[in-house]
């Protein structure tokens, strides 16, 4: 059998496949070391798991002889089959020999192993006997343990019964001692007495049918009634703080006193204490004047932040504590609490508004913002108990913010008026000889920079109301309406409009309001300021405001920038027109007096240009310099080459003086008035008071037109002699020599001077003009 097994196993390795058979040698073939033991014990678990099932593997567990023989017959020729048979025979004999050798070598070991197994069987039987004895002992121990456990349970049951009896005795003893304890604690520790009575009350009620328990209960009730009376007396004391008041009412509720009466008592005592807090706050405010006369109140003793801190910590804190205690004591019954708290909160808000009204100066805006922020934060706890007061508190903060913005607006207005006063003082200050004061461009730059800087500083202060760390900045009012209505419209737009209106007021009849007339230089400077606002400043201010106070898309409508620019331009136009009228009126006044105070019938033959004409040219030149400092030159109409040498005719600019002079005789006077009217039909109409443009030549042209028109009207009212006509001829030619270069169109000057000459000739009794060469000689010499 061993040989057969060995022979079967020989197929592993060299005989495992038909090809291996052909490669075996005559020495018995190749075999794996320790092959017999490995084939005896079988392949390892890992090898068996990894090897796929092979029915042709002689050593494998899936070996199938039929499949193996079929494969060998189909793949191997006859000679190879015979060689395979011989090889298998040799391997079987070799394996049989190895098995016998192995058995002989290990025979002694097999004998020793057999003896050892026999001894182990004997020892095992001894061990089984010992285990039986041990099991018997364990059973005896278990029976003893059961008896001990039963004894212990019986003892525990008796101990519990004894403990119950002792506890009952202690309870009875405690019930007996209840009146004494209540009497001892009622005066010093009422809360402890109440806890003691509460623990004993249920037992006494349960056993009150027993006489002894009924006596204890009656005595306890009497003691508690006395305690209730003392607590009610204490409740009416005005020195109780909120905690003591709450504890007193709570103990009365535990004594089953009527809750309705206690709630009234609680609110009455709370109202007394809160009224005292409000009275302390009101004492810091100046008393209201009963006569109603407007007097300046004295400054408050403390700043607004200290006032809010005291009000928040004293009044608001006490009110919140008492309101919370009321809810805890009386549950959801707030029918009395809400009107009670609302009335007190309204009084506190009124006091705070009175204190805010004392902040008349600008002061420290950050201090006001901190005070309002602290007021809003401290009021949150109260608003949780009194939701109806949220609107009133938010309205108070909003009114305070709007009031501060209004004060900033008034401060800006005062600042602007102060700057204007400085400008007027600088313009009116006397100048030492050889020393010039600040020019108009410097004054304008200083005024514009000061006003704009002050406005930006005000916006920075107002922005504190919308800072992220400010609690009330999250209110809807400060996110929308405050930014648009209060700041943009109420501060920025209102100030720009007020500035334009104030500047325009210097031109809209100041003398009618009893104010002194503004100097012409101030009118010119304000006109330039309003024009600069229209060109750039207004758009910059509005952009800056929208960046710092962004409006909401669904918020109120805002004033568009072009509308403000139009107002500024209208103010600038009105100021510049008024400047032209004032300066024109000043020059015209000199001309009017010079005409009205001269005897034009008895005057001598002219030898010089009158001094007033030289003064007119000097004043026009000074005005040209003044206007040129602030406004551009402007566009002039092309001048003719002989503008300064053009003949000045007493009849018309369209006819030469020599043509009509020889034909003039006193018996046949020429109708110069008719000729003048005919010439007007073919000349352009001159609008004397038309609006001027924002440039120098337009302003000077307007002033010259007013001056020459006044001269014309004054000449029409006078009667002239021959030399009077010639004097007008000389003065007019002198004016033409110098005034044409200031006007935008020389024809305006020439036309008005022609009308002056024509009117003089018409009003002359002996209209004999002077030779043009003589006129030129006198003007050049003058």
């Amino acid at each position: 059998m061993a040989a057969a097994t060995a022979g079967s196993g020989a197929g592993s390795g060299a005989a495992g496949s038909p090809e291996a058979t052909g490669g075996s040698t005559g020495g018995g073939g190749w075999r794996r070391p320790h092959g017999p033991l490995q084939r005896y014990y079988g392949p390892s678990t890992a090898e068996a798991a990894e090897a796929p099932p092979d029915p042709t593997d002689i050593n494998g567990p899936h070996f199938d002889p039929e499949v193996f023989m079929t494969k060998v017959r189909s793949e191997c020729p006859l000679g190879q089959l015979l060689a395979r048979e011989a090889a298998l025979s040799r391997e079987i004999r070799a394996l049989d020999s190895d098995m016998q050798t192995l058995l002989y070598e290990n025979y002694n070991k097999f004998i020793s192993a057999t003896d050892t197994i026999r001894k182990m069987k004997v020892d095992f039987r001894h061990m089984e006997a010992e285990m039986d004895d041990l099991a018997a002992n364990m059973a005896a121990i278990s029976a003893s343990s059961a008896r001990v456990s039963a004894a212990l349970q019986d003892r525990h049951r008796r101990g519990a019964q004894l403990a119950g009896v002792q506890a009952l005795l202690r309870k009875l003893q405690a019930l007996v001692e209840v009146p004494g304890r209540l009497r001892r604690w009622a005066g010093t520790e009422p809360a402890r007495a109440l806890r003691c009575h509460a623990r004993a009350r249920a037992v006494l009620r349960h056993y009150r049918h027993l006489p002894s328990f009924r006596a204890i209960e009656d005595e306890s009730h009497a003691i508690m009634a006395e305690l209730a009376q003392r607590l009610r007396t204490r409740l009416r004391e005005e020195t109780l703080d909120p905690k003591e008041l709450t504890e007193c009412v709570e103990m009365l509720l535990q004594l089953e006193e009527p809750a309705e009466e206690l709630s009234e008592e609680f609110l009455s005592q709370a109202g007394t204490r809160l009224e005292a807090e409000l009275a302390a706050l009101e004492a810091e405010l100046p008393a209201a004047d009963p006569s109603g006369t407007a007097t300046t109140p004295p400054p408050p003793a403390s700043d607004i932040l200290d006032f809010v801190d005291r009000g928040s910590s004293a009044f608001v804190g006490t009110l919140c504590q008492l309101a919370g205690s009321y809810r805890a004591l009386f549950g959801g019954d707030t029918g009395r609490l809400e009107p009670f708290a609302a009335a007190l909160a309204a009084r506190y808000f009124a006091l705070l508004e009175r204190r805010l009204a004392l902040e008349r100066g600008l002061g420290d805006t950050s201090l006001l913002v901190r005070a309002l922020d602290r007021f809003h934060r401290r009021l949150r706890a109260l608003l949780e108990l009194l939701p109806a007061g949220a609107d009133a508190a938010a309205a108070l903060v909003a009114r305070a913010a709007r009031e501060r913005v209004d004060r900033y607006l008034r401060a800006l207005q005062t600042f602007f008026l102060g700057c204007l006063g400085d400008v007027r003082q600088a313009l009116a200050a006397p100048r030492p000889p050889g020393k010039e004061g600040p020019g108009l461009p410097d004054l304008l730059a200083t005024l514009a920079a000061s006003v704009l800087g002050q406005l930006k500083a005000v916006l920075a202060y107002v922005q504190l109301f919308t800072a992220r760390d400010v609690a009330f900045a999250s209110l809807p009012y400060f996110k929308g309406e405050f930014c648009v209505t209060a700041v943009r419209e109420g501060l920025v737009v209102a100030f720009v409009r007020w500035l334009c209106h104030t500047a325009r007021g210097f031109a809209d009849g100041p003398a009618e309001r009893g104010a002194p007339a503004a100097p012409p230089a101030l009118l010119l400077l304000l006109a330039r300021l309003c024009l600069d606002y229209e060109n750039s400043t207004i758009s910059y201010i509005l952009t800056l405001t929208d960046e710092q106070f962004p409006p909401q898309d669904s918020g109120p409508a805002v004033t568009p920038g072009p509308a403000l620019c139009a107002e500024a331009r209208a103010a600038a136009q009105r100021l510049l027109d008024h400047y032209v009228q004032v300066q024109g009126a000043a020059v015209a006044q000199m001309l009017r007096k010079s005409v009205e105070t001269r005897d034009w019938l008895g005057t001598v033959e002219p030898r010089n240009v009158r001094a007033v004409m030289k003064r007119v040219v000097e004043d026009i030149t000074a005005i040209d310099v003044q206007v040129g400092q602030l406004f551009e030159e402007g566009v002039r109409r092309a001048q003719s080459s002989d503008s300064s040498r053009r003949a000045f005719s007493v009849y018309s600019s369209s006819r030469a003086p020599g043509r009509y002079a020889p034909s003039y005789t006193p018996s046949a006077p020429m109708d110069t008035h008719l000729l003048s009217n005919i010439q007007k039909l073919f000349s352009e109409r001159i609008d004397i008071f038309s609006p001027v443009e924002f440039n120098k030549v337009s302003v000077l042209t307007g002033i010259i037109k007013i001056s020459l028109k006044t001269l014309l009207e004054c000449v029409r009212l006078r009667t002239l002699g021959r030399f009077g006509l010639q004097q007008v001829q000389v003065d007019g030619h002198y004016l033409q020599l110098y005034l044409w270069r200031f006007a935008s169109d020389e024809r305006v000057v020439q036309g008005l001077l022609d009308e002056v000459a024509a009117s003089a000739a018409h009003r002359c009794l002996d209209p004999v003009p002077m030779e043009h060469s003589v006129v030129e000689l006198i003007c050049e010499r003058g």
Side-chain angles (χ1 to χ4, degrees):
M1 185 70 180
T5 304
S8 295
S12 176
S17 63
E19 294 80 358
T21 306
S24 59
T25 59
W30 175 88
R31 60 187 180 91
R32 188 180 301 171
H34 307 290
L37 290 177
Q38 184 177 3
R39 286 191 295 271
Y40 178 78
Y41 291 105
S44 63
T45 305
E47 292 178 354
E50 293 177 359
D54 186 6
T56 62
D57 185 7
I58 297 178
N59 298 323
H62 304 285
F63 176 70
D64 188 351
E66 296 295 332
V67 175
F68 178 77
M69 293 304 296
T70 301
K71 181 178 180 181
V72 171
R73 284 196 301 266
S74 62
E75 294 179 358
C76 298
L78 179 59
Q80 190 175 358
L81 289 175
L82 294 176
R84 178 67 180 277
E85 180 183 6
L88 287 175
S89 299
R90 288 191 300 271
E91 287 181 2
I92 289 172
R93 286 193 297 271
L95 288 174
D96 189 22
S97 175
D98 291 340
M99 184 64 69
Q100 291 178 2
T101 303
L102 180 63
L103 181 60
Y104 295 154
E105 290 176 354
N106 293 282
Y107 179 77
N108 292 331
K109 295 179 181 180
F110 292 156
I111 297 300
S112 299
T114 302
D115 294 339
T116 302
I117 291 172
R118 187 180 301 111
K119 291 179 180 179
M120 289 176 64
K121 287 181 179 180
V122 174
D123 294 339
F124 182 72
R125 282 194 294 270
H126 289 308
M127 290 176 64
E128 286 182 349
E130 292 176 358
M131 288 296 295
D132 292 339
D133 295 341
L134 182 60
N137 294 333
M138 290 298 295
I141 293 172
S142 299
S144 301
S145 299
R147 290 192 299 270
V148 172
S149 176
L152 290 175
Q153 290 178 359
D154 182 61
R155 183 178 178 181
H156 179 71
R157 184 167 52 254
R158 293 180 180 180
Q161 292 175 355
L162 180 60
V165 173
Q166 292 176 350
L168 181 59
L169 292 175
R170 284 195 300 270
K171 290 180 180 179
L172 291 175
Q173 181 65 27
L175 289 175
V176 172
E177 295 175 355
V178 163
R181 293 178 179 177
L182 294 180
R183 190 175 292 105
R184 184 171 61 254
W185 292 336
T188 57
E189 299 179 84
R192 188 173 182 183
L194 284 173
R195 290 195 298 271
C196 178
H197 181 261
R199 288 194 298 267
R201 181 167 48 193
V203 178
L204 293 175
R205 286 181 180 178
H206 185 72
Y207 294 103
R208 68 186 313 272
H209 58 279
L210 301 176
S212 58
F213 284 93
R214 186 183 302 112
I216 295 174
E217 184 183 20
D218 293 341
E219 187 176 0
S220 299
H221 283 173
I223 297 172
M224 289 294 102
E226 294 177 2
L227 176 59
Q229 188 64 31
R230 285 197 298 269
L231 289 175
R232 281 190 173 275
T233 303
R234 186 186 179 193
L235 183 62
R236 298 183 181 91
E237 296 177 359
E238 297 182 358
T239 58
L240 289 180
D241 58 22
K243 182 179 179 181
E244 293 173 344
L245 176 63
T246 302
E247 292 176 351
C248 186
V249 174
E250 183 179 8
M251 287 187 290
L252 287 173
L253 287 174
Q254 292 178 4
L255 291 173
E256 299 181 350
E257 292 293 316
E260 190 78 12
E261 297 178 4
L262 290 177
S263 64
E264 293 181 0
E265 289 282 345
F266 182 87
L267 293 180
S268 175
Q269 291 298 320
T272 302
R273 183 171 185 83
L274 292 172
E275 290 285 351
E277 300 287 354
L278 292 176
L281 292 175
E282 190 173 8
E284 299 183 15
L285 303 177
D289 188 4
S291 62
T293 58
T295 58
T296 302
S302 59
D303 57 42
I304 183 63
L305 185 59
D306 291 338
F307 184 86
V308 171
D309 278 341
R310 282 193 292 274
S312 299
S313 60
F315 173 78
V316 177
T318 304
L319 181 57
C320 291
Q321 184 178 1
L322 291 173
S325 300
Y326 185 91
R327 288 177 177 268
L329 292 173
F330 303 104
D333 182 16
T334 58
R336 292 190 181 93
L337 175 63
E338 291 184 0
F340 167 80
L344 290 172
R347 286 192 56 192
Y348 173 64
F349 293 163
L351 291 177
L352 184 56
E353 286 217 53
R354 285 177 56 188
R355 178 60 184 83
L356 289 172
L358 298 178
E359 297 290 314
R360 298 186 180 276
L362 294 178
D364 188 0
T365 302
S366 62
L367 194 68
L368 175 64
V369 173
R370 287 170 55 196
L372 293 176
D373 179 56
R374 195 161 300 177
F375 162 76
H376 188 268
R377 291 177 185 272
R378 297 285 178 86
L379 211 62
R380 286 180 178 176
L382 178 61
L383 296 180
E384 293 178 359
L385 302 173
L386 187 65
D391 296 337
L396 189 149
V397 176
R399 283 194 299 272
R402 284 197 304 269
E403 177 64 24
R404 180 51 61 98
V405 172
D406 293 341
R407 289 178 181 172
Y408 272 124
L409 174 61
R410 293 191 290 271
L412 282 174
Q413 295 170 353
T414 305
F415 180 80
F416 179 73
L417 293 178
C419 291
L420 282 186
D422 295 340
V423 171
R424 298 186 69 165
Q425 185 177 2
L427 293 174
R431 302 284 186 269
K435 184 178 181 181
E436 297 183 358
L440 290 182
D442 296 335
L443 293 176
L444 176 64
T446 302
L447 176 63
S450 300
V451 173
L452 183 59
Q454 189 71 9
L455 180 58
K456 292 168 68 175
V458 166
L459 289 178
Y461 287 132
V462 175
Q463 198 176 13
L464 296 174
F465 287 97
T466 59
R468 293 183 178 179
D469 57 344
V470 176
F472 61 79
S474 60
L475 294 174
Y477 170 78
F478 286 93
K479 287 185 177 180
E481 186 178 353
F482 177 77
C483 296
V484 176
T485 305
V487 179
R488 192 185 192 277
E489 299 297 317
L491 179 64
V492 177
V493 174
F495 174 70
V496 172
R497 282 177 168 168
W498 176 88
L499 185 148
C500 296
H501 177 75
T502 302
R504 188 166 183 166
F506 288 98
D508 292 340
E512 298 177 0
R513 302 194 301 268
L522 181 63
L523 297 175
L524 192 66
L525 186 144
L526 291 176
R528 182 72 240 189
L529 178 67
C530 292
L531 186 63
D532 290 342
Y533 266 66
E534 186 260 340
N535 291 332
S536 60
T537 307
I538 289 178
S539 61
Y540 170 75
I541 292 174
L542 293 181
T543 302
L544 178 65
T545 305
D546 291 339
E547 290 177 355
Q548 296 182 353
F549 303 90
Q552 292 183 341
D553 297 336
S554 59
V558 298
T559 302
L564 275 183
C565 293
E567 294 183 20
R569 188 175 185 85
Q573 185 68 58
R574 180 69 185 91
L575 286 165
L576 198 59
D577 291 343
H578 187 64
Y579 174 81
V580 171
Q581 295 171 10
V582 170
Q583 295 288 56
V587 177
Q589 181 70 8
M590 291 190 300
L591 294 173
R592 185 178 64 82
K593 288 183 178 181
S594 69
V595 173
E596 292 177 351
T597 58
R598 190 176 184 86
D599 183 10
W600 295 97
L601 289 174
T603 185
V604 297
E605 184 178 1
R607 292 290 181 265
N608 292 300
V609 178
R610 289 191 300 152
V612 68
M613 298 303 165
K614 298 179 181 179
R615 176 68 183 275
V616 168
V617 173
E618 291 175 357
D619 288 354
I620 295 295
T621 303
I623 293 172
D624 177 78
V625 174
Q626 187 180 67
V627 176
Q629 295 180 21
L630 297 178
F631 289 92
E632 295 76 12
E633 180 71 21
V635 179
R636 299 178 184 271
R637 189 166 182 174
Q639 311 293 336
S640 61
S641 60
D642 59 344
S643 297
S644 63
R645 294 291 179 180
R646 183 173 177 181
F648 178 76
S649 173
V650 297
Y651 300 112
S652 173
S653 61
S654 62
R655 48 199 171 99
R659 179 178 178 182
Y660 297 98
S663 63
Y664 172 77
T665 59
S667 60
M670 181 180 297
D671 192 357
T672 58
H673 182 66
L674 177 62
L675 292 176
S676 177
N677 290 336
I678 293 174
Q679 197 265 343
K680 287 180 181 179
L681 295 176
F682 297 97
S683 62
E684 295 182 4
R685 180 178 179 275
I686 300 176
D687 189 357
I688 302 300
F689 296 100
S690 61
V692 298
E693 299 177 1
F694 295 100
N695 56 70
K696 185 176 72 172
V697 295
S698 179
V699 172
L700 269 295
T701 302
I703 296 173
I704 292 173
K705 288 191 296 184
I706 293 175
S707 304
L708 297 183
K709 182 65 175 178
T710 302
L711 178 62
L712 173 63
E713 297 300 328
C714 291
V715 169
R716 283 177 179 175
L717 299 177
R718 311 302 295 177
T719 302
L720 293 80
R722 176 189 298 180
F723 296 136
L725 173 63
Q726 292 176 1
Q727 185 65 56
V728 171
Q729 185 180 0
V730 171
D731 293 344
H733 186 73
Y734 181 82
L735 292 177
Q736 183 200 348
L737 287 177
Y738 292 99
L739 294 186
W740 68 268
R741 66 189 55 147
F742 299 113
S744 60
D745 189 355
E746 65 173 336
R747 293 179 300 178
V748 174
V749 178
Q750 185 64 41
L752 289 173
L753 290 175
D754 284 349
E755 290 187 21
V756 170
S759 297
H762 178 69
R763 297 291 298 175
C764 183
L765 299 178
D766 186 13
V768 178
M770 182 179 287
E771 291 292 334
H772 184 65
S773 60
V774 178
V775 173
E776 288 184 345
L777 181 62
I778 294 174
C779 292
E780 290 177 359
R781 186 179 57 192

